[in-house]
Amino acid sequence: LRTLSLFRGSISFDSLLFYNLPFNIAVNDTEVVHQWIDENFVVRSFEDTYYSLALNPICDEINDLPLSMQTFVNQTCEYFCNLNRDNLYAEFCSPRLYGDGRCHTQCNIVECAFDGGDCMQLCFADELANCTLEK
């Protein structure tokens, strides 16, 4: 697995428990739930796989999560665009597209730093590019 991007979903801690917790563990038994997650929630590698949970409810529940899951959520919920009510378009720039070397329309806005710079054309070396500041 190279990429797991669950961007703008509805993943919450409760939904993870609902779908994964064994039936013999009570959801309201916090200590046992946290122990089960610490023993069973294993992230294989951040070096070989890109994970993104940006803009999911679980990203706002960090303090309620078991320690092993807090580390994972901290590393996977980062979102590069500045969200504001004036430009809701920023919510559609997927983290896997941001700054990947190609200009993506949904990321080509100031709130997303023009796709992390991918949509900015630099005209500083005439011998390297055929552009002008007027174009």
Side-chain angles (χ1 to χ4, degrees), residues 82-91 109-111:
N82 295 318
L83 301 177
N84 65 52
R85 294 189 184 273
D86 295 334
N87 194 345
L88 297 178
Y89 203 47
E91 292 184 26
I109 56 176
V110 70
E111 289 83 359

Side-chain angles (χ1 to χ4, degrees), residues 33-102:
V33 167
H34 284 214
Q35 179 184 350
W36 184 85
I37 289 176
D38 285 339
E39 291 172 359
N40 293 281
F41 182 76
V42 178
V43 177
R44 299 285 180 220
S45 172
F46 277 103
E47 293 177 19
D48 298 328
T49 303
Y50 171 78
Y51 300 94
S52 177
L53 293 175
L55 301 183
N56 274 280
I58 198 168
C59 297
D60 299 323
E61 302 169 338
I62 190 77
N63 295 328
D64 300 328
L65 304 176
L67 188 58
S68 61
M69 200 165 236
Q70 284 182 17
T71 303
F72 177 76
V73 169
N74 270 333
Q75 293 181 12
T76 61
C77 282
E78 183 177 12
Y79 192 58
F80 303 98
C81 299
N82 295 318
L83 301 177
N84 65 52
R85 294 189 184 273
D86 295 334
N87 194 345
L88 297 178
Y89 203 47
E91 292 184 26
F92 296 96
C93 178
S94 173
R96 69 181 180 82
L97 301 178
Y98 179 89
D100 67 350
R102 295 181 59 200

